[in-house]
């Protein structure tokens, strides 16, 4: 397993583009097929796969994943977490945000 913390965002986008191309080809789809399925231009797909897109919006990436049938991979990318007892307030409700208190207001 790689350690991606040392990678820049453009390097990570390049890595995803390379992987996407492999998945697309294994799905027996052309860039044109993906463009038709996703509504993303062939030029954008080509640039993404070749690392020439400095950034790619999350919504565009999700459309591309849907087009090649890989959207269910999101569970592997960011699996749902079990309930955390640390996020349950005293009244039994789930915390909606995290607030830090300053030392002056702590009791």
């Amino acid at each position: 397993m790689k350690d991606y913390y040392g990678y820049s965002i453009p390097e990570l986008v390049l890595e995803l583009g390379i992987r996407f191309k492999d998945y697309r080809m294994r799905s027996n789809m052309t860039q044109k097929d993906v463009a038709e399925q996703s509504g993303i231009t062939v030029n954008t797909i080509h640039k993404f796969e070749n690392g020439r897109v400095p950034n790619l919006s999350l919504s565009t990436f999700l459309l591309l994943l849907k087009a090649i049938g890989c959207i269910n991979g999101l569970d592997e990318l960011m699996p749902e977490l079990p309930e955390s007892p640390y996020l349950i307030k005293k009244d039994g409700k789930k915390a909606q945000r995290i607030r830090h208190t300053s030392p002056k207001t702590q009791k």
Side-chain angles (χ1 to χ4, degrees):
M1 184 180 241
K2 287 186 181 180
D3 180 6
Y4 292 105
Y5 282 98
Y7 285 58
S8 68
I9 298 303
E11 289 171 329
L12 290 170
V13 173
L14 172 61
E15 181 76 20
L16 286 173
I18 291 167
R19 288 186 189 188
F20 178 81
K21 182 177 182 178
D22 191 36
Y23 275 81
R24 174 183 61 77
M25 293 178 73
R26 289 176 188 219
S27 297
N28 200 30
M29 295 180 78
T30 65
Q31 290 176 342
K32 184 179 178 186
D33 294 335
V34 174
E36 290 171 357
Q37 290 283 326
S38 67
I40 308 301
T41 66
V42 171
N43 189 39
T44 299
I45 295 165
H46 176 76
K47 286 180 178 179
F48 173 51
E49 290 182 351
N50 291 288
R52 293 186 312 204
V53 173
N55 57 35
L56 189 76
S57 75
L58 179 59
S59 58
T60 298
F61 185 62
L62 294 173
L63 285 168
L64 292 172
L65 288 180
K66 275 187 165 187
I68 62 170
C70 290
I71 196 68
N72 289 335
L74 289 179
D75 282 336
E76 292 178 39
L77 176 66
M78 203 168 206
E80 286 189 46
L81 296 173
E83 288 290 328
S84 170
Y86 299 106
L87 295 178
I88 305 297
K89 299 188 311 186
K90 290 178 185 174
D91 62 4
K93 293 182 181 176
K94 185 177 178 182
Q96 296 299 310
R97 65 183 88 164
I98 302 297
R99 292 187 181 172
H100 296 283
T101 56
S102 65
K104 291 180 183 177
T105 60
Q106 287 181 341
K107 295 180 182 179

